């Protein structure tokens, strides 16, 4: 397995919450801990964008559009990265992916769909 595996997406109403999980591919489990991992998303008709990232020492960065609403975290023992999404808006509707930062093409998977209704 060489791709990240995302899960946790779904359909929620505006103002709701979801928690996404991202499991690292077996190919990088031995090198996962030092890596910066990011959550990306691609909404309808939009380019894929980086929305949050977390470094090996847990420094975090967020896109302006999600600051104060999304929280990224990681569990190195489980080789998993999470994205807690609160106060969701219809504009957050997208397929959410995880990958390294910078991204590596071989690690892209199908993502997890998040749909926020108004």
């Amino acid at each position: 397995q060489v791709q990240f595996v995302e899960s946790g997406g779904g359909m929620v109403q505006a103002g709701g919450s979801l928690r996404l999980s991202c499991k690292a591919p077996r190919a990088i489990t031995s090198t996962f801990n030092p890596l910066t991992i990011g959550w990306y998303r691609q909404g309808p008709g939009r380019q894929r964008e980086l929305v949050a990232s977390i470094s090996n020492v847990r420094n975090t960065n967020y896109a302006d559009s999600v600051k104060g609403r999304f929280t990224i975290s990681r569990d190195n023992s489980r080789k998993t990265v999470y994205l807690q999404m609160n106060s969701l808006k219809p504009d957050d509707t997208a397929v959410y992916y995880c990958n390294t930062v910078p991204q590596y093409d071989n690690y892209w998977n199908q993502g997890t769909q998040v749909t926020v209704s108004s």
Side-chain angles (χ1 to χ4, degrees):
Q1 175 206 351
V2 296
Q3 298 162 320
F4 284 88
V5 178
E6 303 93 349
S7 62
M11 296 182 64
V12 295
Q13 290 189 327
S17 299
L18 283 172
R19 187 190 194 210
L20 307 183
S21 298
C22 166
K23 177 75 172 177
R26 197 171 302 146
I28 66 168
T29 52
S30 62
T31 59
F32 176 83
N33 291 1
L35 296 174
T36 294
I37 306 296
W39 277 99
Y40 301 75
R41 70 183 180 187
Q42 186 167 17
R46 298 180 176 180
Q47 290 190 333
R48 187 150 47 195
E49 61 173 339
L50 177 65
V51 295
S53 64
I54 185 165
S55 74
N56 59 327
V57 293
R58 293 178 170 78
N59 289 328
T60 58
N61 283 288
Y62 298 93
D64 287 344
S65 58
V66 307
K67 278 181 183 175
R69 300 188 298 120
F70 290 12
T71 303
I72 190 171
S73 61
R74 66 191 293 164
D75 183 339
N76 286 344
S77 66
R78 296 177 184 268
K79 314 302 181 187
T80 300
V81 177
Y82 304 97
L83 187 68
Q84 178 65 45
M85 305 186 296
N86 298 328
S87 302
L88 282 162
K89 305 175 180 179
D91 209 39
D92 296 318
T93 295
V95 179
Y96 285 72
Y97 308 85
C98 57
N99 204 321
T100 53
V101 180
Q103 63 196 46
Y104 182 56
D105 286 349
N106 286 2
Y107 293 157
W108 293 117
N109 204 342
Q110 60 186 6
T112 187
Q113 176 71 47
V114 172
T115 302
V116 185
S117 61
S118 57

